[in-house]
Amino acid sequence: MNDSIQRLIPSPTELPHRRRNPLTGEWVQVSPQRVQRPWQGRQDPPAPQGRPAHDPTCYLCPGNERAGGQRNPPYEGTFVFANDFAALVPDGPAVLPAHHELLQAAPVAGQCRVLCFSPRHDLTLAAMDVADVRAVIDVWAEQVEDLGQRYRWVQVFENKGELMGCSNPHPHGQVWALDALPNEVHKENVSQADYFARQHSPLLLDYATVEIDCGTRVVECTDNWLAVVPFWAVWPFEVLLLPRFRVAHLPDLQADERLDLAVILRRLLRRYDGLFDTSFPYSMGWHGKPRTEGAEGWQLHAHFYPPLLRSATVRKFMVGYELLAEAQRDLTAEAAATQLRSVHVEQQQ
Ligand code: H2U
Ligand code: ZN
């Protein structure tokens, strides 16, 4: 490792300390000594998996009727439709009366879509082949391109697993587009613009270089992409997926970069599945440059937030100190990355 970087980064310590997330400005309390606690929680065996390739009761399978009454076409690849129970509508209220300084509201207009990754009810992104994952990446990029012309923010995400409140195991994600910047995006926008103004280089491009140099938190690395447990991770096996080149948002990805993304995505998700021998639950989503003033220095990236801590059923809760004061973790980001690296996955495409 480069000496100057080595000096800048504290070696993993066994003593409690706090780490700062430069994307949000928020701190996380790290308490590695607590991993030694005698109580290790429940360690249930994983629930049996196994689903049919087509489920006649699934509202996302080809040819089936949805809850809203519409019927899905007999699709053979990906399939996108307007969410029948959308959280955002294109015509929100035009203005809202400001009653009081302490009772602020704002109008919001937007659209929500559901994106089926595959016609196969029994697959996940990890189990799909590279070409099919690549097709999902293309659809993600098309959605950002399309909705990004009308809305300031397009959130592409996947909520996977019952533990994450996902209503259906059929492989699918969602797209929410709106004419405002949501909280997390606003924080990342301010931080990246501020860093870029000072350093003339994108925060996350510099961060990728630091992590590759360091190596301890790297989970997967390809020619174009890097998956790391970020230094400031809050969730036990949180991962940040970063391009190793300058790119603002999904539509700008070139063909080879998309293919390489499909490769690293599958490898990462297979490591996740192998970690506790279960189809790993998570929320993941893409953050690309928003259509707003002052978004210089934005670097495309994806966040993976899995809830599991020690087994297929033992999850981390954000409660107590976390709700009232600050996020906290026992397992260090370095230890989590070591565990993920130790999962065996075949390296070919
Ligand atoms: P999850 O990804 O959290 O499971 O959500 C699935 C979405 O699918 C959810 O937002 C929508 C729900 O509103 N949905 C439809 O649009 N039509 C249906 O027939 C059922 C579910
Ligand atoms: Zn299905």
Side-chain angles (χ1 to χ4, degrees):
M1 193 201 317
N2 175 319
D3 268 0
S4 58
I5 291 174
Q6 175 95 67
R7 258 180 279 114
L8 287 173
I9 299 166
S11 57
T13 165
E14 293 304 308
L15 296 172
H17 59 280
R18 293 166 79 219
R19 299 186 185 192
R20 183 175 181 272
N21 180 341
L23 276 175
T24 61
E26 283 161 13
W27 292 80
V28 52
Q29 163 75 43
V30 184
S31 313
Q33 80 289 358
R34 292 180 84 223
V35 178
Q36 320 304 332
R37 273 180 309 164
W39 182 74
Q40 295 284 293
R42 270 187 331 147
Q43 305 244 2
D44 295 350
Q49 311 277 327
R51 300 196 298 269
H54 183 275
D55 177 350
T57 68
C58 168
Y59 57 76
L60 297 179
C61 274
N64 290 357
E65 193 175 293
R66 298 205 301 273
Q70 278 174 294
R71 189 167 289 281
N72 297 326
Y75 67 96
E76 292 179 351
T78 56
F79 169 53
V80 181
F81 64 92
N83 196 313
D84 300 308
F85 308 96
L88 295 152
V89 293
D91 306 304
V95 275
L96 288 167
H99 304 289
H100 192 281
E101 186 193 336
L102 300 178
L103 302 174
Q104 285 192 38
V108 63
Q111 283 183 49
C112 299
R113 294 175 179 167
V114 179
L115 200 173
C116 298
F117 297 155
S118 162
R120 287 267 306 269
H121 187 79
D122 56 337
L123 293 185
T124 61
L125 281 176
M128 284 162 60
D129 60 34
V130 172
D132 292 340
V133 175
R134 158 74 207 265
V136 172
I137 293 165
D138 288 341
V139 178
W140 284 338
E142 278 165 31
Q143 292 298 312
V144 172
E145 177 89 64
D146 173 24
L147 292 162
Q149 285 165 27
R150 276 163 289 156
Y151 297 103
R152 288 174 77 194
W153 183 249
V154 183
Q155 183 61 64
V156 170
F157 66 99
E158 180 191 6
N159 228 9
K160 176 171 174 265
E162 263 176 74
L163 227 50
M164 297 308 292
C166 179
S167 59
N168 188 329
H170 192 110
H172 71 284
Q174 298 193 42
V175 188
W176 292 25
L178 63 158
D179 60 3
L181 283 198
N183 293 338
E184 293 305 305
V185 182
H186 173 71
K187 285 183 271 185
E188 292 193 3
N189 192 40
V190 170
S191 303
Q192 290 184 91
D194 171 65
Y195 184 92
F196 192 71
R198 288 184 289 108
Q199 306 289 350
H200 311 290
S201 175
L203 186 160
L204 287 177
L205 195 56
D206 286 359
Y207 180 61
T209 308
V210 169
E211 286 293 15
I212 288 170
D213 237 330
C214 242
T216 49
R217 285 169 294 274
V218 172
V219 178
E220 284 284 354
C221 192
T222 64
D223 288 347
N224 296 292
W225 298 91
L226 171 71
V228 289
V229 178
F231 182 69
W232 54 83
V234 165
W235 294 92
F237 296 95
E238 182 176 329
V239 159
L240 189 58
L241 182 55
L242 298 169
R244 297 177 60 189
F245 54 97
R246 184 93 208 252
V247 60
H249 66 172
L250 282 164
D252 290 347
L253 291 177
Q254 303 300 306
D256 57 329
E257 296 156 355
R258 291 179 189 213
L259 188 63
D260 199 30
L261 175 57
V263 170
I264 196 167
L265 203 49
R266 269 174 94 252
R267 279 197 210 155
L268 169 66
L269 297 179
R270 283 171 178 231
R271 285 193 188 281
Y272 269 164
D273 287 354
L275 188 65
F276 300 130
D277 202 17
T278 192
S279 187
F280 214 62
Y282 58 78
S283 277
M284 70 78 67
W286 287 97
H287 281 171
K289 185 180 179 175
R291 201 165 60 77
T292 186
E293 304 259 305
E296 287 79 32
W298 257 92
Q299 201 33 12
L300 172 70
H301 59 281
H303 296 278
F304 290 79
Y305 298 123
L308 294 183
L309 176 60
R310 262 191 304 274
S311 74
T313 53
V314 179
R315 60 162 298 167
K316 176 183 175 63
F317 288 97
M318 288 286 190
V319 294
Y321 187 80
E322 278 129 342
L323 276 183
L324 291 154
E326 184 168 286
Q328 187 272 338
R329 64 182 290 139
D330 298 346
L331 182 77
T332 60
E334 296 73 31
T338 305
Q339 285 191 38
L340 284 169
R341 278 197 304 271
S342 72
V343 176
H344 174 78
V345 289
E346 89 279 9
Q347 290 296 305
Q348 81 271 23
Q349 296 201 346

